[in-house]
Amino acid sequence: MPNAIRLPPVAPSRGAGVSWGRADPFKACHRSPPGAARCGLSLLLLLLAGLPASRRAEAGHESSWYPAFYPQEIRIEAVDQGGAAALLQKNGLHAYVGENPFPSGSLPAPLKSVESLGSYVVATFNPASPSFREAGRRCAVAREVQGSVTGVPGTFVVHPYPVTPYHADYLDHYDLAQGRRRAADQPPKGRPTGEVGARVRAAGRLAEALGRGRWTAADTAWDVAVEEVEAAGLAAPAAPGLLAGLGPPWAKAGWFQAYRLLAGAIQDAARTRRVEAMVQRLTGGPAGDPLERINLERALVGLLGEGCERVVLGYTLRRGTVNDDYSEGIENVGLDSHLGLLSPIFLRTVKLKDLPWNGWLRLGIGARPTAAWNPVAGFADPFGRWVWFAVGDPALFPAPSGASWISNRVTATAAPGGPRAAPVEIPPDALVPAPGTGAFRPVGPRQTAQAKVLYRSRLSAFHDGTRMATADLIYPYAFAARWGAPRGRGGPAPEPAVAESTALMRAWLAGFKILRVERAVKDLLDLKLEWQVPVIEVYLRHGLEDPQQTAAVAPPWSSVPWHVLALMEEAVGRGFAAFSQQEAKRRGVAWLDLVRDGALQGRLMSLAEEFERTAYVPEALKAFVTAQEARGRWAALRQFAQKYHHFLVTNGPYRLEQWSADSATLPVFRDLSYPLGVGTFDQYVLPPKAHLAEAGLHGRTLLLAVTVEKAMRAGRSYTWTTEPLTKDAATEEQPVRAAGRYVVVAADGTVRGAGDARPTADGGLRAELPGLPSGRYTILTAAYLNGNTVEPDVRRLEHRVP
């Protein structure tokens, strides 16, 4: 690789050159336990702003820039149900995720619950049951089971269709979901209501409650099992780390979760092939125009349920418990509609009421950590996910109340894609990793792509004191190609977890080109912050209608430095450990853990020392990293591990400092090079909700009158209020952005039109329907505010074209 493509190195920096004087004030604050004398708020704000000690008296102002997020420390602790109840009531926890700590009644004040999509409740037929090998028999009994269940307020919602109001594509399936509900509500002919002509096994406490004592089949003799399937497991990968990320771009789409939920139960091989072909059209390059895509998604969901091997009864709501005490509680609780509190948005928004700009956040979770802590295929349990969401920093993450994606550490510019978009020419000198080795090679002449995304990433310091460089951004491409792709005839097989988590990235990535390094500056009166911003163009073989979803496929980004990735690679290559639990069991080695495996720590330290002596650089990066830079990286990692006794180095907002078998303590990383500050994601807290005051058709014109339901803060609490939508509506000083959508369904169930309703001058929404042939149609329409698609207010209008 020619040296000309090497970029100028970023000078190592500590707090953008700001001096703390003789003492680090953060350490004094961190040593103060909760409940003891705490640092004064004004003083702490000045310290967080990074003003030099000699200037504090003369500054006369408080900086508006506080890097990282609100709490100065996060402690995560595994607590059982009873222990959580006790700690919550004495302000020992701020939030808890697990079994309801107060199952016998309502939450005592000042505790509150927050809701998100919890699980699907399904009825699965026993493939070994001889009485139900025929689809018609299964479907008849499935309708009986569906008709026998009733809702449980606040816990279980009867909804016999896999696309729910918590999915952004619910409007596209609304008529099908309502039709399935009407069919389930009709009692079976010739059988008393509630009676099921099959042996039903209730798997779990909720299923037992729904069966009301009637489902008593033994584990060894059953025809149908009623059970729960966690929705979060369908939306997100098992391991949320570096390469698995937070799922594919369509992770929160109802059709995709229906596929993950139902496809594995299909018993007919021919139908399975049809299902996989449809999914390939939707994920391997979107099918046709939006109408074709919607019809394909509807057909896929129908085909998945055609044989009734597994049917949906409804869904549950996951409840997280938060402490709303006036002084000791928390506020600003951002919530993901599918992941709840176990999500990036929660940790990036939550703050303590008494100490809004710092404080000690205490989180409880119902299970101890069991998964290894490594950022490739670890953190695969609820405890680990919370740890990773604090120390890791994704390029983008899913919008908490919609299906799009939010820029976090990269900003992306992309045009709407799709199969009808004009091809993009790839520069011949763009690079692409070679499968099996990861070596970067030129794409070559006359290559095209379907989409082009321009990424800008603000570089910051890693926890070991080294500074990010372009090599860190692009190395995951090489890693994925080396460990996720076949290595040629006679070569070792790819690591299954890496192959699965990087499959989409590798299939779509057609090349990347490092264009330049820009400089970003933030002036704060007597303080100036600067960042270097590499600009990288990425070429993809496919594109999506939503540019942010396209940007989420293969961003040039890494939460861990290249030298930590290389250390893990060498540990796996030498047989010390394996990235994933599956591969560790197969090979009879340890599941790679950068923190809690004492035996492995010594081996990793020896590797770091060896690589420091030899200035080791992975083959793929030799054109991007000098020997001097490499030696500095390995020395910094070795010193970090000696000080903190682990190798989990990231560029995230929190750093792992202490841990035990059931806890982890994570102090904030208030380095001024960190480019995000408190309040960055506040707009996603308490999103406004749209209601349709009126929906009507005037010829081919669809008019919607919208009301806004929004939170109004009063001190440390808030109330909900409703007001008409106007063109200048706002909530919490953020403008309210309104959008409407409609779907036109013909009498045969085919979608014949779909589009957006746009704001009018008076605050309403308006759309012109497409020209339609003669016939009767159903118009489904809803409005959304600030991207909030959860539980939309759907209206159904009948329309006749003469």
Side-chain angles (χ1 to χ4, degrees), residues 367-389:
R368 300 175 70 180
T370 57
W373 289 359
N374 83 68
V376 174
F379 298 110
D381 55 28
F383 193 107
R385 295 181 78 87
W386 244 348
V387 171
W388 178 250
F389 290 154

Side-chain angles (χ1 to χ4, degrees), residues 94-176:
H94 294 111
Y96 179 72
V97 174
E99 291 289 336
N100 182 4
F102 302 95
S104 59
S106 58
L107 292 178
L111 304 179
K112 291 186 177 180
S113 63
V114 291
E115 292 181 350
S116 58
L117 181 63
S119 63
Y120 287 97
V121 179
V122 297
T124 306
F125 280 85
N126 186 351
S129 179
S131 302
F132 295 97
R133 291 177 179 169
E134 195 269 325
R137 175 76 174 125
R138 288 195 299 267
C139 291
V141 169
R143 285 192 294 271
E144 294 176 356
V145 177
Q146 288 172 330
S148 69
V149 299
T150 57
V152 179
T155 301
F156 173 71
V157 179
V158 176
H159 187 82
Y161 192 79
V163 183
T164 77
Y166 282 77
H167 294 104
D169 54 341
Y170 180 55
L171 182 67
D172 297 343
H173 297 258
Y174 180 81
D175 59 315
L176 300 176

